[in-house]
Amino acid sequence: MIKEAMLYEKLDDRKVHCKVCAQSCTISLGKRGFCRVRENRDGTLYTLNYNVVSSEALDPIEKKPLYHFYPGSAVYSLGSIGCNFRCKHCQNWTISQVGIDTSNAVEMSPEEAVSRALQFGARSIAWTYNEPTIWYEYTYDCARLAKEAGLATVYVTNGYITPEALEKISPYLDAFRVDIKAFNDDFYRKVASARLEPVLEATKLARELGMHIEVVNLIIPTHNDDPEELRAMSRWIYENLGTDTPVHFTRFHPYYQLTDVPPTPLETLEMAYDIAKEEGLHYIYIGNVPGSGRESTFCPQCNELLIKRGMFDTEEYNLTEDMACPQCGKQICIFNEDIGDTKTC
């Protein structure tokens, strides 16, 4: 379904300026934006993927990964086509880096999406697999309906959304699971065709708007694994998002256009974990390493095991009803209340 886009400006010569993401495309007549799914037709900007669904699944929330957001619950996950990044290591490149005209997808209305989430017993609905920002109109309509139906809502995002777009959707968006892909602009330009600063600004704003934040950093050998860079990122998270912000350091595996880079050594992930601890972060996890023991949540005050996790599930849950450690009573930053209440990390 083709629909007029939200958040754009009409310019001279029938050009349009898209204001949804930080690529900030000025699109000439008959052309498409960087994301490949927003097109200028006769001076009006249209979204080409409004209700186009390429991927659908009922996932454990831990798979997003979100460890402090309704732990142990199921999330209904939807993805579309296109992206506003060009990541050379994208694991979902078959949907993110293809054109809408050649994609393999189905149509699903926002009403049907919310209905299916409820039917499957999901606690939340997530827009994921490709970048939800470029699917903005659809996710906005879905999120409003989801909130009315009592579902929590999640963006699994690269963070390249504009302040205007984020503020508009914020009343209907509970969680902002963001990739900070590196803490240097050179990486963003060369590997993702983007910039770091808009990601940091959007993440800070999401925090200010009351969303639950969890950060993922995929560590790629020789690209973003410098200890001082990891320290600078950890310090930035501590200073701008808070000590209780969950951070996931995940293991890279060769994929797509980065097949010449080896998998991340476990020692590098452990180094990142230790650095983040030294910088004052309380909840640090290591991902894509089954059995590492770093998937579980421990009390930052007394080190009591609070949530024991397997690969993508919750095996033990030892928090009190008011989200406190049963051993020492420290309040633990877990979003697990009824919709309408707020508890952010």
Side-chain angles (χ1 to χ4, degrees):
M1 175 180 174
I2 297 172
K3 185 174 182 178
E4 184 175 359
M6 299 168 63
L7 304 180
Y8 77 97
E9 177 185 9
K10 294 188 177 185
L11 305 175
D12 294 338
D13 300 324
R14 290 191 288 177
K15 294 180 180 180
V16 295
H17 174 211
C18 181
K19 297 182 177 181
V20 166
C21 95
Q23 293 290 357
S24 193
C25 295
T26 295
I27 307 171
S28 298
L29 189 65
K31 301 297 183 179
R32 296 180 184 178
F34 187 83
C35 62
R36 304 188 183 100
V37 292
R38 307 175 86 78
E39 182 174 291
N40 180 349
R41 296 189 176 183
D42 199 27
T44 298
L45 184 62
Y46 289 92
T47 174
L48 308 180
N49 66 339
Y50 174 75
N51 62 344
V52 175
V53 174
S54 69
S55 312
E56 175 196 32
L58 186 68
D59 291 321
I61 194 69
E62 289 79 9
K63 193 175 180 179
K64 296 300 98 184
L66 280 165
Y67 281 5
H68 288 232
F69 188 79
Y70 296 103
S73 68
V75 55
Y76 180 63
S77 301
L78 291 176
S80 187
I81 298 293
C83 190
N84 53 1
F85 277 18
R86 297 283 188 270
C87 295
K88 294 181 178 179
H89 56 289
C90 181
Q91 65 178 3
N92 291 327
W93 68 270
T94 55
I95 62 172
S96 70
Q97 304 302 320
V98 299
I100 191 77
D101 307 303
T102 58
S103 62
N104 183 18
V106 299
E107 292 189 351
M108 183 186 300
S109 70
E111 291 80 7
E112 183 180 357
V114 172
S115 176
R116 289 171 74 84
L118 294 170
Q119 175 188 340
F120 293 150
R123 183 65 189 85
S124 56
I125 182 168
W127 300 280
T128 177
Y129 305 130
N130 73 314
E131 174 52 42
T133 300
I134 64 159
W135 207 14
Y136 185 79
E137 293 78 8
Y138 182 79
T139 63
Y140 180 85
D141 290 346
C142 277
R144 292 179 65 183
L145 293 174
K147 295 295 285 182
E148 291 174 4
L151 291 167
T153 53
V154 178
Y155 254 28
V156 177
T157 178
N158 60 30
Y160 223 51
I161 189 169
T162 63
E164 182 180 358
L166 187 57
E167 287 173 359
K168 187 171 182 63
I169 200 173
S170 65
Y172 315 108
L173 193 58
D174 295 305
F176 194 79
R177 212 290 287 135
V178 61
D179 290 304
I180 298 181
K181 295 179 181 289
F183 212 69
N184 74 83
D185 210 51
D186 191 56
F187 176 99
Y188 267 88
R189 287 187 292 103
K190 292 180 178 178
V191 178
S193 299
R195 295 179 295 120
L196 171 61
E197 189 59 30
V199 178
L200 301 182
E201 291 304 313
T203 304
K204 285 196 297 184
L205 179 59
R207 163 76 173 172
E208 293 166 7
L209 292 169
M211 298 176 199
H212 173 79
I213 310 293
E214 298 199 25
V215 173
V216 169
N217 176 238
L218 178 72
I219 300 182
I220 305 175
T222 73
H223 284 72
N224 64 351
D225 60 346
D226 179 78
E228 290 310 308
E229 179 179 331
L230 293 167
R231 187 172 300 280
M233 182 181 68
S234 298
R235 187 174 298 129
W236 183 90
I237 293 169
Y238 176 86
E239 293 174 351
N240 293 275
L241 306 180
T243 187
D244 289 330
T245 304
V247 178
H248 307 256
F249 293 110
T250 59
R251 190 180 198 185
F252 166 83
H253 292 282
Y255 208 72
Y256 191 35
Q257 297 174 350
L258 279 188
T259 55
D260 59 335
V261 180
T264 316
L266 180 57
E267 293 80 8
T268 302
L269 296 165
E270 293 283 1
M271 174 190 67
Y273 182 98
D274 291 341
I275 287 172
K277 279 285 187 186
E278 291 168 6
E279 291 301 323
L281 297 176
H282 284 166
Y283 304 109
I284 307 142
Y285 303 100
I286 290 178
N288 293 343
V289 186
S292 71
R294 300 296 196 186
E295 306 96 344
S296 297
T297 300
F298 295 86
C299 176
Q301 184 163 283
C302 71
N303 208 38
E304 177 78 2
L305 176 63
L306 301 175
I307 303 176
K308 182 180 179 182
R309 297 183 182 87
M311 185 63 176
F312 291 126
D313 58 355
T314 296
E315 297 177 353
E316 292 182 26
Y317 185 84
N318 302 317
L319 288 161
T320 65
E321 288 186 2
D322 61 347
M323 301 297 125
C325 172
Q327 182 70 24
C328 69
K330 179 175 176 58
Q331 198 73 35
I332 305 301
C333 190
I334 299 283
F335 193 111
N336 206 20
E337 297 92 358
D338 292 335
I339 296 301
D341 296 336
T342 58
K343 186 169 188 171
T344 57
C345 296

